[in-house]
């Protein structure tokens, strides 16, 4: 008599419990806080997945290395060609304090579209001293109106370029004749080597 209408057959109780748990779980999922939490978890998993994919992607092909330039001096007109475009095989030269550097390694700064592209193939001294990329023009600049502080800044930039890039030769003043370089000088690639027309005592000491 006791089983009539109420007692469940043996084994039915766990099934009912599971159903109850599932319903409780579904009800929990509908609370706004939990929905937010789930979205946050999914977002983090997605971000991790994207990052993993990026790490596995092959690196972009490196730009072909250009052969080092022969040691040589440049007029402004000759320097102008080296602006990182196809006309010069993508090479970029920049002059600082009458020294020409091959900055192709820093093409992301000085190449076409870079933040300092205005300096490519130019004398950047005045721009660096005045902290401006505007107003770099094609005329020879003797920098004579710069203040002592600005000239000091030019020399500091020159030192930075000497550390980072390969020195190629001098920027010639109007009418100045280019130097003849020996093979040894061509190979040295530093701005500190004494030059035929510059006594070694004339070197910057910073
Ligand atoms: C809001 C203004 C500027 C910011 C935030 C900025 C930022 C930077 C940063 C982060 C670097 C180092 C990049 C690296 O080594 O990876 C850098 C380098 C440099 N910046 Fe700027 N810059 C600013 C303005 C200027 C201006 C106005 C000039 C122009 C005179 C300038 C000239 C340079 C040069 C020449 C380098 C060295 C690039 C090289 O390594 O060859 N910057 N700048």
């Amino acid at each position: 008599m006791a089983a009539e209408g109420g007692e469940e057959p043996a084994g039915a109780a766990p099934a009912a419990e599971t159903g109850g748990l599932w319903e409780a779980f579904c009800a929990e999922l509908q609370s706004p806080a939990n929905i937010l939490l789930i979205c946050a978890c999914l977002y983090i998993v997605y971000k991790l997945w994207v990052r993993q994919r990026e790490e596995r992607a092959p690196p972009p092909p490196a730009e072909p290395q250009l052969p080092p330039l022969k040691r040589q001096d440049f007029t402004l007109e000759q320097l102008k060609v080296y602006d990182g475009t196809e006309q010069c095989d993508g090479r970029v030269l920049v002059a600082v304090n009458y020294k020409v550097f091959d900055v192709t390694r820093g093409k992301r700064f000085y190449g076409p579209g870079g933040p300092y592209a205005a300096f490519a193939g130019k004398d950047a001294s005045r721009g660096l001293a005045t902290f401006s990329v505007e107003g770099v023009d094609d005329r020879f600049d003797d920098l004579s109106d710069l203040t002592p502080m600005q000239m000091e800044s030019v020399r500091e930039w020159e030192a930075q370029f000497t550390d980072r890039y390969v020195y190629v030769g001098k920027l010639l003043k109007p009418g100045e004749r280019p130097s003849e370089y020996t093979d040894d000088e061509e190979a040295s690639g530093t701005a500190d080597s004494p030059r035929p027309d510059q006594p070694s005592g004339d070197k910057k000491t910073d």
Side-chain angles (χ1 to χ4, degrees), residues 108-110 116 119 127-128 131-133 157 161 164-165:
R108 65 184 195 283
F109 298 123
Y110 308 100
Y116 313 124
F119 294 152
L128 292 168
F131 210 57
S132 163
V133 284
W157 279 106
F161 275 66
R164 264 181 229 170
Y165 301 114

Side-chain angles (χ1 to χ4, degrees), residues 42-56:
L42 288 175
Y43 178 71
I44 289 169
V45 170
Y46 169 73
K47 278 296 205 191
L48 286 173
W49 176 71
V50 167
R51 188 188 295 175
Q52 219 176 29
R53 256 177 54 138
E54 280 171 1
E55 279 170 4
R56 279 194 204 142

Side-chain angles (χ1 to χ4, degrees), residues 53-117:
R53 256 177 54 138
E54 280 171 1
E55 279 170 4
R56 279 194 204 142
E63 282 214 14
Q65 288 265 319
L66 292 172
L69 270 185
K70 245 172 61 122
R71 175 68 62 93
Q72 60 195 293
D73 297 340
F74 294 82
T75 61
L76 272 177
E77 198 61 27
Q78 291 164 332
L79 187 66
K80 209 160 89 176
V81 176
Y82 294 91
D83 59 358
T85 57
E86 276 174 21
Q87 63 172 341
C88 54
D89 296 330
R91 196 184 292 273
V92 192
L93 300 185
V94 169
V96 183
N97 205 18
Y98 309 114
K99 287 182 175 152
V100 176
F101 296 91
D102 186 336
V103 301
T104 311
R105 209 158 66 79
K107 206 170 167 185
R108 65 184 195 283
F109 298 123
Y110 308 100
Y116 313 124

Side-chain angles (χ1 to χ4, degrees), residues 73-75 170 172-181 197:
D73 297 340
F74 294 82
T75 61
K170 280 185 303 181
L172 296 167
K173 299 177 173 71
E176 191 180 358
R177 292 168 64 87
S179 307
E180 303 268 336
Y181 291 107
D197 64 333

